[in-house]
Amino acid sequence: MRALITGITGQDGSYLADFLLEKGYEVYGMVRRSSVENFIRIEHIRDKLKFVQADLLDQLSIIDAVKESRPDEIYNLGAMSFVPTSWKQPVLTGEFTGIGVTRVLEAMRHMDKNIKFYQASSSEMFGKVREVPQKETTPFHPRSPYGVAKAYGHYMTVNYRESYDMHCSSGILFNHESPRRGLEFVTRKVTYHAAMIKLGLTDVLYLGNLDSKRDWGYAKDYVEAMWLMLQQDKADDFVISTQETHTVKEWVETTFKCLDLDWEKYVKMDPQFLRPAEVDLLVGDSSKAEKVLGWKPKVNFAKLIEIMVKTDYDYLKSKAL
């Protein structure tokens, strides 16, 4: 089997590449031409991967990438993925995260309609939630340019499935974290800075809304769900979540507890980290994925934080020595 992954250098792309290599796949990664390569998350498997240069903004380069890799499966994980930046660059977010999906689907439609396609949809599409918990049929009300762009890409995936009889599935993934998460994301920002505080490298952590509630899982668990979707006879959309909700404050408390620290001594509120429009409560109902795919998360909230704290602490300690 041969797979093409867009966004292979990101958190999910790197874990998916690990997973597919273990399954015996030939794995191609779509990468943009850049003067500075950012392959840190896939450095350990770089010699086992094949790369094709293309850009989600450029239709012809995507067609060439599909032609060169001849994949059985395409996993579209490439996007402008940081929600706060989507307010600063809403048009670019729409191009990458929304229209980029259509470009990949069009390349498949014209070249090989038998390719199976996975679209990385997002719980951010639910935004100002209409019901709790959120499931596949819950109406969308996105609260950021990122969420709007993801909704566009999601419905395009549904349309190509229904209009052209293509095997196109969407995973509506709720928040999923790992030691490979970018430092700009609140979860990794907290574990990294808490480890810095423990080691005496800093003495304060600035955060935004501590009352926001999220459904947090482990990225390594979630990439297995992506693969399972493309192994089904019938393409469909699936919510992937832990079915639990926790506040940012709980994330902070659990993190600092791992390091025997009192979080209230170190955490300060900074209005610059507040979103223009907040998503207050996200919690997913992943019972359909459990029933159809046989998928359930393996790592719980506390264990996920423990994994991230230990990785950050060990890394920072080795750098400090």
Side-chain angles (χ1 to χ4, degrees), residues 84 87-88 189 205-210 267-278:
W87 275 287
K88 295 187 178 7
K189 178 181 176 180
L205 168 59
Y206 293 102
L207 294 172
N209 184 6
L210 295 183
V267 175
K268 291 192 164 83
M269 163 81 173
D270 188 333
Q272 73 165 309
F273 297 119
L274 295 173
R275 294 181 178 188
E278 184 56 89

Side-chain angles (χ1 to χ4, degrees), residues 48-98:
K48 297 175 184 172
L49 303 170
K50 295 179 178 170
F51 297 100
V52 287
Q53 280 194 359
D55 195 310
L56 287 172
L57 301 182
D58 180 42
Q59 183 72 68
L60 285 176
S61 70
I62 296 169
I63 290 169
D64 284 342
V66 174
K67 194 182 295 182
E68 186 178 335
S69 57
R70 293 178 293 112
D72 300 291
E73 300 170 354
I74 294 178
Y75 296 85
N76 185 42
L77 312 183
M80 202 302 295
S81 63
F82 188 48
V83 176
T85 301
S86 73
W87 275 287
K88 295 187 178 7
Q89 298 180 317
V91 176
L92 188 64
T93 299
E95 283 282 354
F96 269 123
T97 308

